[in-house]
Each structure stands twice: as structure tokens, then as C-alpha cells.
Amino acid sequence: MTIDSDGTLVADPVLVTAPEPITPPTHLPPPTRSPGAPPRRRFGALNPILSRPGLTLAVLIVVLAIAWCVVPGLFASKDPYLPDSKAILVGPSVEHLFGTDRLGRDIYSRTVHGAVITLSATLLAVAIAFFIGTVLGAIAGFVGGAVELVIMRVVDVLLSVPGLLLTMVVVSALGYGTLNVAIAVGVSAVANFARVMRAEVLRVVQADYVEAAASIGTPRLIILTRHVLPNSLSSVVALVPLQFGAAILAIAALGFLGFGAPPPEPEWGLLVSEGRDLLAIAPWISLLPGLVILAVVLSSNRISRELQSEAGPR
């Protein structure tokens, strides 16, 4: 404060200086990652494959089995039906990867060509179970009332009977053969798809967008086809690989018991059955085709678990 000539107090002027320029640091520290953040991708596009080798192996096994069905001659050059008296009960070797049976037939070729019979029947069985079970589950969950009561009581009856026993009863009624075995396995699996589909439909019909569509007068059929079904199929589709593996086991079991394809067809279950009397001296006849069945079933289950985790709540 200063005193003016007339005796008044005058405030001192404030000196305003320009701020000094801030120079950015030349070396920035590496960014820190919060504890809850996902790990960095170190391998780019290969990271999902490298992080889940089990899933990758499962996909490769299933793709190989499908390739056996499509082009079996590309993987096995020997005739699966031609016997060779000079190569009876020969163990696994470079010439015969899975060895030979009591007639000298190459077991690897029979396993490759048998994939066409077994997996075709499996695909038919899963298709029957998927379409019939999905339709019944959607009707039961969307219509409700007495219709739901009747459908679900039938589903409960199917679930109460062991699957293998039910398929044997159906095959006995229809007759032996691969086609009838596929139909029987499909009928026994209808209940699994119907139950899952009904649960998903009941969840979706309570959503706000479904109630809004019903409140503005949208026909129920349009609501079912445009809103309910597209949002209910994810869990049902995830069940397909799991049921695919179960159907392979069921069809192979029926073939092992003699309900499926007759000899000399190289059906997988029949291949295992042909070597059951020679386990002591030629275990490869039953063991190696059985390992193929096991690998395909486990791979299908692994893929199903992955699909279910993707379809589940996030």
C-alpha cells in the first residue's frame, strides 16, 4: 500500500508474470495395469489358440472325424472289406497302423470307413432330437397351461427311463439296422432338448421387449418366431455337441450289442465287438477303435462346454 499526494491509500499494482512453459518428459514410465484388468495379449491372433490348447485339439479331432466321413479314401487306401490271409492278427505297424483282425483286414481302414456309418447315424439322431425337442419345448414354454402339463409329463417319462434301455426298446419295435438305431437314439434324446428349450422360453417371455410387443397387440405367432425363438436357441445349440458325443456312445453301444449294422460293415461299435474274444492275444482289435470313439466323444464334450460358457451369462 502507498500514500498518494492527497493522503489517500493506493494499492500497489500486481505484477502478472507469464507461467513457465511445461516441458514434457522425454521418457514416460510404462503404463501400469490395474489388478482387475485382463492380461495383455502377447501373441496377437494366436493368443486364443495358445491359451486353450485343449479346445484346439478337440476341434482338430472332430474335424478329422468329419473328414473321414467326407473323403475316407484320402486317409485310408486299403479296402476295409478285403481279407488278407498273409496278414492275420498282425500288430500295429507302419503298413497297418491299427493292426489287422482275424481275417487279415486292416483295422485302420475299417475305422476310417466306419466313421461314415457311425457319424451319419449320429448326425441323424441329433437332428431328430434337436428339431422335435426344440418344437415341444417351445410350445410348452410359450403356450403353457394344459399343453405344457401334458408335454412335460411325457418328457418326465422319457427322462425316467435309462437312455440305453429306451433305445433298445425302440430298436426292438422298429427292427435292427443303422437307420432304426439312429431313430431310437434320437427319440431317447428328445427330452433333453425339450427341457432346456422350455426353460429358455420361460426366461425370454418375461423380458421387457416381449411384454412390450404383446402390449401393442403383436400376434403371438410373430412374438414367438421373431423374439422368443431367436433369443432362446443359444443354450439349445450349445447342447448339440454334448448330445453328439452321447449319441456316438449310444450308437456304438447298440452296435456292440448287435442291434446296429450287420457284419462285415465297419461300424465302430461292431469293430470293438469283433475283438472282444481276442483281448488276450490281439488287444488292438478292440482297443484302438475304442480309443477313437473315446477321443471323438471327449472332444465333442469339450466343445460343448466352451459353447455353454459363451452362451451363459457374462
Side-chain angles (χ1 to χ4, degrees):
M1 300 292 289
T2 59
I3 301 176
D4 199 359
S5 59
D6 57 359
T8 60
L9 296 175
V10 179
D12 294 335
V14 179
L15 297 178
V16 179
T17 59
E20 297 181 358
I22 301 175
T23 58
T26 56
H27 299 286
L28 294 176
T32 59
R33 183 169 59 91
S34 60
R40 300 185 184 92
R41 297 180 177 271
R42 297 182 178 180
F43 300 100
L46 294 178
N47 187 72
I49 298 177
L50 296 176
S51 61
R52 292 181 292 182
L55 177 61
T56 304
L57 180 60
V59 172
L60 291 177
I61 291 176
V62 172
V63 170
L64 178 61
I66 295 174
W68 284 359
C69 294
V70 178
V71 282
L74 183 64
F75 298 91
S77 58
K78 294 182 173 59
D79 190 343
Y81 302 98
L82 183 63
D84 186 0
S85 59
K86 299 180 180 179
I88 295 177
L89 298 181
V90 174
S93 61
V94 177
E95 185 178 0
H96 303 283
L97 295 180
F98 286 7
T100 61
D101 59 8
R102 68 182 73 196
L103 298 179
R105 296 172 297 189
D106 186 74
I107 298 177
Y108 172 73
S109 296
R110 290 178 61 78
T111 303
V112 172
H113 287 270
V116 180
I117 302 174
T118 301
L119 297 186
S120 298
T122 301
L123 183 62
L124 177 60
V126 173
I128 292 173
F130 176 80
F131 287 109
I132 297 179
T134 299
V135 171
L136 292 179
I139 294 175
F142 191 74
V143 176
V147 175
E148 179 185 11
L149 182 63
V150 172
I151 292 177
M152 295 316 297
R153 295 298 75 77
V154 174
V155 169
D156 291 340
V157 171
L158 293 177
L159 290 174
S160 64
V161 181
L164 184 59
L165 178 60
L166 181 60
T167 55
M168 292 174 64
V169 171
V170 176
V171 170
S172 300
L174 298 177
Y176 295 175
T178 305
L179 178 61
N180 294 335
V181 166
I183 295 175
V185 173
V187 170
S188 66
V190 166
N192 296 327
F193 287 95
R195 182 179 59 178
V196 174
M197 187 63 185
R198 171 182 172 272
E200 289 297 310
V201 170
L202 290 176
R203 178 184 61 83
V204 173
V205 295
Q206 298 177 359
D208 294 337
Y209 57 88
V210 175
E211 295 179 356
S215 64
I216 62 176
T218 305
R220 289 176 60 84
L221 183 60
I222 301 299
I223 295 176
L224 177 63
T225 55
R226 291 188 179 179
H227 300 290
V228 176
L229 287 181
N231 294 284
S232 303
L233 287 175
S234 58
S235 297
V236 182
V237 172
L239 185 61
V240 170
L242 181 63
Q243 193 59 47
F244 189 84
I248 292 176
L249 282 179
I251 291 173
L254 292 173
F256 180 87
L257 297 174
F259 289 92
E265 295 296 331
E267 195 270 329
W268 283 357
L270 188 59
L271 291 179
V272 177
S273 177
E274 289 176 348
R276 59 183 174 180
D277 298 332
L278 301 173
L279 289 176
I281 60 175
W284 58 85
I285 300 177
S286 295
L287 181 60
L288 295 181
L291 289 178
V292 171
I293 297 174
L294 178 63
V296 176
V297 171
L298 292 180
S299 299
S300 300
N301 293 345
R302 178 66 180 86
I303 296 173
S304 176
R305 289 198 305 271
E306 183 65 25
L307 291 177
Q308 289 175 354
S309 64
E310 293 293 334
R314 297 182 180 273

